[in-house]
Amino acid sequence: MPVLTVEGVGSFPVPDGKRMVLALSEDAGIDQLHACGGRARCTTCRVEFVEGEPSQMTKAETAVLAAKGLTGVRLSCQILCDHDMTVRAISRLAGSGRADAGGQPLVELLEQWLSP
């Protein structure tokens, strides 16, 4: 079982293949934003990797990060927890001014992986 470590929060075993956005909210218990429901459209679910960044990205993640000119961040809704990872949760409900973190993210990824 992979371990997801959230800087300043703790380390949490998560089921293999679970979407990181779900692991952050359900397993780590943090208020991770995900306004578009995990569809890689809004970039509110951003995280910064400290260790264990996956080499693969979905087509959707690649496109939205490029379109918004974002570097050094990844979208937790497009990452599967399949190995140990350490992240900074930089996009949280607290202090965002939003009414809620977002609708329930889908369990499965909709996009196909790009080659590393």
Side-chain angles (χ1 to χ4, degrees):
M1 193 175 286
V3 174
L4 176 62
T5 300
V6 182
E7 222 176 44
V9 179
S11 296
F12 309 90
V14 296
D16 188 40
K18 187 171 191 172
R19 291 178 77 176
M20 182 181 284
V21 67
L22 294 171
L24 289 167
S25 61
E26 296 172 1
D27 300 293
I30 67 166
D31 56 344
Q32 179 71 27
L33 288 175
H34 47 79
C36 72
R39 291 174 173 81
R41 294 185 183 147
C42 66
T43 72
T44 61
C45 68
R46 292 181 300 258
V47 294
E48 292 177 345
F49 270 87
V50 176
E51 290 183 37
E53 181 173 354
S55 60
Q56 292 183 313
M57 279 190 181
T58 62
K59 293 176 184 178
E61 181 181 18
T62 302
V64 75
L65 291 176
K68 295 195 179 221
L70 296 173
T71 60
V73 296
R74 297 287 303 268
L75 302 183
S76 66
C77 74
Q78 297 298 296
I79 298 169
L80 299 178
C81 295
D82 59 4
H83 63 279
D84 294 352
M85 301 179 217
T86 301
V87 296
R88 284 184 197 100
I90 59 171
S91 189
R92 298 180 63 179
L93 178 61
S96 72
R98 293 179 177 269
D100 59 44
Q104 179 66 26
L106 302 171
V107 173
E108 299 293 325
L109 285 174
L110 299 178
E111 299 292 328
Q112 294 184 359
W113 297 106
L114 288 176
S115 299

